[in-house]
Amino acid sequence: MSLSSDAPKRVLCVCLGNICRSPTAQEVFRQHVALAGLQIEVDSAGTAAYHVGESPDKRSQQFAKSRGYNLSHHTGRHLSQQDFYDYDLILAMDTNNLTALKQLQQSLTASEHTAARIALFSEHDPVFVGQDVPDPYYGDAEDFEQVLDQIESSVMAWVDRWQVACKTCSKDEM
Ligand code: 4NP
């Protein structure tokens, strides 16, 4: 059984600092989900609290803006236990984030049911499948462009799946 073909209602993108990759993924998702006519909420958070309350990294904002994505409204936040109940799909930008998410989910008491399915952001990507979105924080322009290339590609793959899922589900399920 493949849960990934179901369109989720709330998606959370997670990276380390929540100032580069995941706010970019959030905004790319927001635009493409809206263009596809899907009603899916998307937010982002970081596994570390280094940049809580901060705006996205200036370089991320600049490179995203050149492709038509405005990240300026986001404020960095730390992943919380509540997120595992509030979101039905949590997407890790890399395998370190995925490990951290799985450990956190396991630390929640076994009797509690958390809604969230956890997956790698690139799970269905036709080009970058199974690959990390590399952390660009100590990188250069090329690294920030690479992040955008991968994020756009993976977002389109998810949205394509969700559109198919929504075409086959009832109005109530949407
Ligand atoms: P992000 O990038 O996880 O894509 O937001 C990073 C931002 C900050 C740091 C590391 C990665 N940092 O070490 O402060």
Side-chain angles (χ1 to χ4, degrees):
M1 187 183 71
S2 173
L3 283 175
S4 61
S5 63
D6 295 335
K9 291 184 172 55
R10 304 192 74 202
V11 177
L12 185 69
C13 301
V14 172
C15 63
L16 178 64
N18 192 218
I19 56 167
C20 296
R21 293 165 293 173
S22 61
T24 305
Q26 178 187 345
E27 181 56 23
V28 175
F29 256 132
R30 195 193 64 74
Q31 282 202 22
H32 289 283
V33 158
L35 277 172
L38 300 175
Q39 290 190 341
I40 297 170
E41 272 182 52
V42 187
D43 194 10
S44 65
T47 59
Y50 313 138
H51 299 284
V52 169
E54 294 180 18
S55 294
D57 184 284
K58 288 279 176 247
R59 299 161 297 172
S60 290
Q61 290 201 49
Q62 178 201 325
F63 285 99
K65 195 175 175 186
S66 72
R67 298 196 193 192
Y69 305 109
N70 179 2
L71 310 188
S72 67
H73 305 296
H74 183 74
T75 302
R77 78 169 180 88
H78 193 198
L79 180 72
S80 73
Q81 287 194 355
Q82 188 60 39
D83 288 325
F84 291 88
Y85 302 94
D86 291 344
Y87 292 88
D88 44 355
L89 181 63
I90 303 183
L91 297 177
M93 304 307 294
D94 67 27
T95 42
N96 287 332
N97 309 145
L98 188 69
T99 302
L101 281 165
K102 285 182 175 170
Q103 282 172 350
L104 260 167
Q105 193 178 44
Q106 275 167 12
S107 74
L108 302 175
T109 50
S111 60
E112 288 179 278
H113 173 73
T114 67
R117 183 174 92 85
I118 295 168
L120 198 59
F121 186 75
S122 62
E123 184 174 280
H124 300 295
D125 194 304
V127 181
F128 305 102
V129 65
Q131 291 183 34
D132 290 351
V133 179
D135 180 354
Y137 191 64
Y138 295 105
D140 57 21
E142 207 175 306
D143 299 301
F144 282 87
E145 293 288 12
Q146 177 70 23
V147 164
L148 277 159
D149 288 346
Q150 289 192 221
I151 286 175
E152 286 184 325
S153 179
S154 292
V155 161
M156 290 315 299
W158 283 109
V159 170
D160 282 351
R161 288 179 72 83
W162 296 338
Q163 272 184 307
V164 170
C166 271
K167 277 178 198 148
T168 58
C169 66
S170 73
K171 274 189 180 159
D172 287 349
E173 287 169 312
M174 289 172 75

